[in-house]
Every structure is written in C-alpha cells, then in structure tokens.
C-alpha cells in the first residue's frame, strides 16, 4: 500500500492500484467481498477452499464478475489446505502482478457434532479447512507483503470463535485459533507495515446450513436483536474499509452480527 500524502488526500475506501487475494471466494460471502474490492478499484485474484471441479466453476464465475468491474482478475485452482498449492497460487499472483496488497481469508466449513462423537479425522479436517488454510495463506502472502513493505490481512471468523456453542467444539477451536493467530501476527508483522485484523460475523443469510431453509432462517433471525441475519454486503463493506485503512487499525476483531454477541 502506498504511504498517504497529506497534500493530496486519497478518496476514502479507494483501492485503485491495489491487488487483492480472496480465499473462499467460491461461497456467496467471498464472492461479495471480491466484488466489493473490485468496485473499490482493486485487481482481485480469487481461490476457493478446495480445487474440486464445482468450486473451480464458481471461482471462474467470480473472476468474470471482477472483470465486469474493469479490473484485472485471476482465477486460481487452489486447495487452501495444501501448502504447496498455496505457495504456487501466491507465486502466480506475484509473478503476474508484482505484489499482494490485500489478503482476505473468507473460507468457512461448518462442522457440528458433540466432541465425544467426533473422530480424530473429523477434528483434523475441521481445523485444516478453517485454521490451517488461513495460516498457510497468511504465511505465503505475508512473505510478499514483507518484501514490498506492507499490506492488509483480513480474516473472517464467526461467533463460535468467542462464544460457547454446544456441539461445535472443533469448529470453535478452529475459528478461535484464527482470531488468536491474527492478534499474534499483528504484533509480529507490525514493523513490516502489515495490518492484521479479524471480522467476526454472526449468522449470515448465505451461510451454509443457515440460509438454506427460508423458514428456519426466519426463525433464527427472530432470536437476534436486529431480527435479521447478517448480509454479505455488510461484511464486504467493512473489508473494503480495513483494506484501505492507514494500518493503525490492527490486531482487532470487529463484530458484524446485529448485536448478537453484545446480548448473549
């Protein structure tokens, strides 16, 4: 990111000339984030949690939407849980665009099961998808950001990162781990000009297993202070704000949940 010039103040939330990498862009939340960054002027590379054919199709669709905003795009076939594939993807962005200014980790694989019924394989798979994949993307993109003198990392987590939710021990451990890791990285990379923050979101309309059934989603919304589920656009706007910030917002978790965690 360029250093602000007080004599020529930039437009707020303007990302012209920046490059972004959105992981988890195959899902509606990641799609919304990628489009918001493109609308703000950033060139956007997108990847999914996996490199399965169905997710590759979704990623290519998102890349086409980025192109429709007249921004450069890259659709990357990447398994975010595989360190070699993550490194290859980041290297491609670096080779083609020469930098990575913004990293957004929006991947989310919900797993709900009592701990005493959870196998080690299920535990490992949940942490691999929700925690290790984030660490791998941060590690690979972080090397590029340190070389270029700075960047912005935004990691999306959900309410179980902070609040106890029955039957979600593995998922909560993963999301809580992302939040703790983000705080640690904000200290580790502060002098390298890299700001690292989390956005903690409540139940959102496009979340797998939440927005699938309209009646169940409506019942859940009635339990929340705002009486409605979080919209992907609400999260995407905050991502753009954090991506365009001077860098003094770092190590923070900002909640977008309609007041849910303030009441629970």
């Amino acid at each position: 990111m360029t250093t602000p010039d007080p004599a020529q103040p930039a437009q707020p939330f303007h990302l012209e000339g920046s490059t972004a990498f959105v992981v988890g862009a195959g899902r509606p939340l990641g799609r919304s984030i990628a489009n918001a960054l493109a609308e703000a002027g950033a060139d956007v590379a997108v990847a999914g949690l996996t490199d399965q054919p169905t997710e590759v199709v979704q990623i290519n669709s998102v890349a086409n939407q980025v192109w429709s905003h007249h921004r450069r795009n890259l659709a990357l076939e990447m398994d975010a849980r595989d360190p070699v594939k993550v490194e290859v993807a980041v290297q491609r962005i670096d080779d083609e665009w020469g930098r990575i200014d913004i990293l957004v980790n929006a991947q989310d694989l919900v797993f709900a099961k009592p701990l005493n019924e959870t196998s080690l394989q299920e535990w490992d798979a949940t942490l691999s998808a929700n925690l290790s994949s984030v660490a791998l993307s941060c590690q690979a993109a972080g090397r590029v950001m340190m070389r270029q003198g700075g960047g912005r990392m935004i990691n999306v987590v959900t309410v179980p990162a902070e609040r106890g939710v029955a039957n979600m021990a593995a998922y909560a451990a993963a999301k809580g781990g992302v939040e703790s890791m983000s705080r640690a990285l904000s200290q580790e990379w502060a002098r390298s000009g890299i700001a690292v923050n989390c956005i903690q979101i409540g139940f959102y309309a496009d979340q797998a297993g939440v927005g699938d059934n309209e009646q169940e989603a409506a019942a859940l919304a009635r339990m929340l202070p705002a009486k409605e589920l979080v919209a992907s656009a609400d999260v995407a706007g905050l991502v753009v704000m954090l991506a365009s910030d001077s860098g003094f917002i770092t190590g923070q978790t900002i909640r977008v949940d309609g007041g849910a965690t303030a009441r629970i």
Side-chain angles (χ1 to χ4, degrees), residues 155-201:
N155 297 323
V156 180
V157 298
T158 50
V159 168
E162 179 182 344
R163 301 291 183 172
V165 180
N167 302 327
M168 299 195 83
Y171 180 75
K175 293 300 182 180
V178 171
E179 195 169 337
S180 295
M181 180 186 70
S182 299
R183 285 194 295 269
L185 290 178
S186 75
Q187 306 303 299
E188 191 171 327
W189 289 343
R191 296 185 66 181
S192 296
I194 302 172
V196 187
N197 291 289
C198 280
I199 297 176
Q200 184 187 107
I201 59 177

Side-chain angles (χ1 to χ4, degrees), residues 1-10 99 148-149 152 245-246:
M1 306 292 285
T2 56
T3 302
D5 181 357
Q8 296 181 330
R99 60 189 301 111
Q148 69 197 23
R152 306 288 175 265
D245 176 69
S246 66

Side-chain angles (χ1 to χ4, degrees), residues 221 224-228 257-260:
L224 303 174
K227 304 304 179 186
E228 59 181 311
D257 62 8

Side-chain angles (χ1 to χ4, degrees), residues 102-118:
I102 303 154
L103 170 68
V104 182
N105 280 297
Q107 57 267 52
D108 184 39
L109 183 65
V110 178
F111 177 76
K113 196 173 186 179
L115 183 62
N116 63 347
E117 298 175 11
T118 300

